[in-house]
């Protein structure tokens, strides 16, 4: 059976699972579907749900925050509303020179639509985007 017939999740390394829990659950409001160990760390991982199913594996690791690339993107209908809600919850949106972002941190997306980026406490980058 080819991989295209299976669900996929993003995996995100964090340096401190307790700090990550405060961010992913507290600020982003993601529900925990399961928790477990991460290597030798009891309770060092979480699987978070989004869109009706498992979406993110978050685990404590020494390799946390070592990529600047966007790790996962949420596709939303009302980008302004989501950005406002996340900002109210304490999420700070990244600003990148030359991307034409507005005061909220929303900018044009390549190929049309709009996008905004934010980071977790380890510097892992995520995006929310919409087609309008």
């Amino acid at each position: 059976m080819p991989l295209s017939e299976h669900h996929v999740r993003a995996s995100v390394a964090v340096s401190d699972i307790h700090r990550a829990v405060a961010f992913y659950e507290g600020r982003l409001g993601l529900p925990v579907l399961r928790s477990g160990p991460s290597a030798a760390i009891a309770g060092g991982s979480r699987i978070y749900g989004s869109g009706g199913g498992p979406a993110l594996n978050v685990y404590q690791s020494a390799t946390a925050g070592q990529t600047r690339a966007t790790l996962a993107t949420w596709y939303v209908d009302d980008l302004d509303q989501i950005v406002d809600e996340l900002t109210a919850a304490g999420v700070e949106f990244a600003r990148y020179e030359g991307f034409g972002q507005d005061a909220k941190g929303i900018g044009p997306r390549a190929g049309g639509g709009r996008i905004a980026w934010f980071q977790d406490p380890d510097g892992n980058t995520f995006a929310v985007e919409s087609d309008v």
Side-chain angles (χ1 to χ4, degrees):
M1 195 178 303
L3 283 179
S4 62
E5 295 184 20
H6 298 277
H7 294 283
V8 65
R9 290 190 290 253
S11 291
V12 180
V14 298
S15 62
D16 180 330
I17 193 65
H18 301 293
R19 185 175 66 172
V21 163
F23 181 79
Y24 288 94
E25 295 171 34
R27 294 187 187 224
L28 300 186
L30 297 177
V32 178
L33 301 180
R34 188 173 44 218
S35 63
S38 175
I41 304 163
S45 71
R46 302 288 187 281
I47 296 177
Y48 290 108
S50 188
L56 289 176
N57 296 328
V58 176
Y59 63 97
Q60 187 165 318
S61 172
T63 63
Q66 294 186 7
T67 181
R68 292 292 176 226
T70 303
L71 295 177
T73 302
W74 281 268
Y75 297 91
V76 301
D77 294 326
D78 189 337
L79 184 58
D80 288 286
Q81 178 183 348
I82 296 294
V83 168
D84 289 345
E85 289 172 2
L86 290 173
T87 299
V91 174
E92 294 181 25
F93 283 84
R95 305 302 199 274
Y96 299 108
E97 191 173 320
F99 279 85
Q101 293 163 292
D102 64 17
K104 293 181 181 184
I106 299 171
R109 180 182 68 190
R114 301 182 315 142
I115 188 167
W117 293 273
F118 63 91
Q119 296 178 335
D120 75 359
D122 285 295
N124 293 308
T125 301
F126 299 92
V128 287
E129 65 179 59
S130 69
D131 289 332
V132 293

